[in-house]
Amino acid sequence: MKHFLKLLDLSTEEILELLDLADLLKSYVKEGKPHPFLQGKTLGMIFEKSSTRTRVSFETGMYQLGGHALFISAKDSQVGRGEPTEDTARVLSRYLDGIMIRTFDQEEVEKLAEYGSIPIINGLTDFCHPCQVMADLQTIREHKGKLTGLKMCFIGDGNNMANSLIVGGLKVGMSVSIGCPKNYQPDQRVLDFAAAYGDQFQMTDDVMEAAKGADVILTDVWASMGQEEEKQMREAAFAGFQVNSQMMAVANKDCMVLHCLPAHRGEEITADVFEAHADEIFDEAENRLHAQKAILVKLMGGRK
Ligand code: CP
Ligand code: NVA
């Protein structure tokens, strides 16, 4: 594994190996055991969109691994003034040991990997959010003791989260159902990938059908970063695509609820369902740290 650009690139074995490493690194943090596997290494973090979790967890993760993280805001660097990605990639490769990038176009991330000579990590694009889904899988396995055979259900926009959940969920042997409006379906490349999984994948605009018998229900905002101007139109389109107590009643007993955050209570999820599952949701947020440290260690060396 040279880069971490999208889950479509990873094998099941690679995903599971990262999850095992994430669990190990989490245990080191809990035991207070030093684990400076990236001593002397620097990660550059390019942000073309806002972030709380991704920025803080990557920066803290690098520190815990004995390395250093550098925040590069698109606004204050030449990235935001249009310097070609091909050049940014080659320049930053001369200074850094790895780059994490959050941007709009998946092509930009792929181009960084093509032109640079250091590992590239995708910290969210319009196409996918693979770091988040590694944390989600880690959280589900922690709470349920397994992944294979569980039913994962995603309610809402067929966005970057839906795309990564479908690929990640299917690759680790979960069945995946998507409840989304007809005009907001996941990316065609992901639907083509899922088609090979037959009945293990389901997509419907009937949210109750999607949630029936689910072991974990996930949702995300109706308007993602960059879609703020469509908010009103989206609110109309997504009315009814909400995780609420009626939906929980058709899911399995002990069904988990996860949300990548930030959450909009009263829109994609009700406040009562959110609070009833807050422990799971904040475990999920914490696991960003551990899952990403596994990715960093795997890609930037020092161990394994
Ligand atoms: N879930 C997530 O990626 O959060 P941030 O946008 O705060 O990084
Ligand atoms: N779909 C959301 C996820 C935020 C973590 C967005 O792209 O804004």
Side-chain angles (χ1 to χ4, degrees):
M1 211 172 95
K2 243 175 103 182
H3 303 286
F4 188 77
L5 309 179
K6 56 187 181 301
L7 293 181
L8 282 168
D9 299 338
L10 272 70
S11 67
T12 299
E13 292 67 35
E14 284 172 324
I15 294 174
L16 294 174
E17 197 189 318
L18 282 173
L19 292 177
D20 289 344
L21 183 54
D23 287 347
L24 181 71
L25 292 167
K26 183 170 183 171
S27 75
Y28 289 167
V29 173
K30 302 292 168 193
E31 292 158 16
K33 187 169 163 185
H35 46 283
F37 301 134
L38 296 184
Q39 206 149 33
K41 303 267 168 102
T42 304
L43 176 77
M45 308 188 298
I46 303 174
F47 281 93
E48 299 188 42
K49 289 176 174 173
S50 307
S51 169
T52 298
R53 280 147 287 271
T54 305
R55 178 177 177 181
V56 176
S57 55
F58 266 107
E59 192 160 337
T60 306
M62 278 305 290
Y63 177 77
Q64 291 179 359
L65 289 165
H68 176 65
L70 194 70
F71 176 70
I72 306 165
S73 158
K75 257 200 334 255
D76 305 318
S77 64
Q78 302 291 2
V79 171
R81 293 184 61 244
E83 181 163 10
T85 306
E86 298 89 305
D87 296 352
T88 305
R90 285 176 287 187
V91 170
L92 294 183
S93 293
R94 304 284 180 116
Y95 306 135
L96 302 168
D97 301 288
I99 297 173
M100 191 287 306
I101 176 164
R102 164 168 288 197
T103 188
F104 294 87
D105 192 353
Q106 178 72 18
E107 279 309 304
E108 193 180 336
V109 178
E110 306 274 347
K111 212 184 238 184
L112 266 186
E114 186 186 339
Y115 284 89
S117 54
I118 54 176
I120 307 297
I121 298 171
N122 183 342
L124 180 147
T125 60
D126 291 345
F127 175 61
C128 62
H129 198 0
C131 289
Q132 179 68 55
V133 170
M134 292 305 294
D136 294 1
L137 295 176
Q138 186 185 8
T139 312
I140 297 166
R141 196 169 71 161
E142 240 169 31
H143 282 256
K144 295 284 184 192
K146 63 174 185 179
L147 292 168
T148 309
L150 296 180
K151 176 174 174 176
M152 165 198 285
C153 165
F154 177 86
I155 299 292
D157 188 15
N159 62 12
N160 42 14
M161 277 304 300
N163 288 334
S164 287
L165 284 166
I166 292 169
V167 178
L170 290 174
K171 283 197 175 190
V172 299
M174 300 176 84
S175 69
V176 178
S177 77
I178 303 292
C180 65
K182 285 201 171 70
N183 293 334
Y184 293 91
Q185 292 182 348
D187 192 278
Q188 193 55 46
R189 286 164 289 180
V190 170
L191 295 180
D192 290 344
F193 164 82
Y197 285 79
D199 290 349
Q200 213 182 312
F201 178 70
Q202 182 199 11
M203 185 168 66
T204 169
D205 60 358
D206 178 342
V207 289
M208 290 303 182
E209 181 58 30
K212 202 158 69 187
D215 298 294
V216 52
I217 295 180
L218 301 101
T219 189
D220 185 17
V221 291
W222 290 341
S224 286
M225 289 181 276
Q227 298 172 335
E228 288 78 8
E229 282 174 16
E230 299 172 22
K231 182 109 205 288
Q232 241 179 343
M233 190 178 78
R234 287 175 163 269
E235 272 173 16
F238 289 104
F241 288 81
Q242 183 189 59
V243 179
N244 54 32
S245 53
Q246 292 93 302
M247 181 178 289
M248 296 312 295
V250 302
N252 267 352
K253 189 174 150 289
D254 300 328
C255 177
M256 296 174 68
V257 174
L258 297 179
H259 193 308
C260 61
L261 303 174
H264 292 83
R265 291 165 177 78
E267 294 184 18
E268 75 274 6
I269 189 165
T270 57
D272 60 322
V273 171
F274 185 96
E275 289 308 328
H277 293 272
D279 286 348
E280 295 156 5
I281 291 168
F282 293 108
D283 279 352
E284 175 190 18
E286 175 187 331
N287 284 339
R288 291 294 302 278
L289 172 70
H290 311 299
Q292 288 160 192
K293 280 169 71 183
I295 296 164
L296 291 166
V297 169
K298 185 77 191 160
L299 294 180
M300 289 165 64
R303 189 186 173 280
K304 281 204 159 187

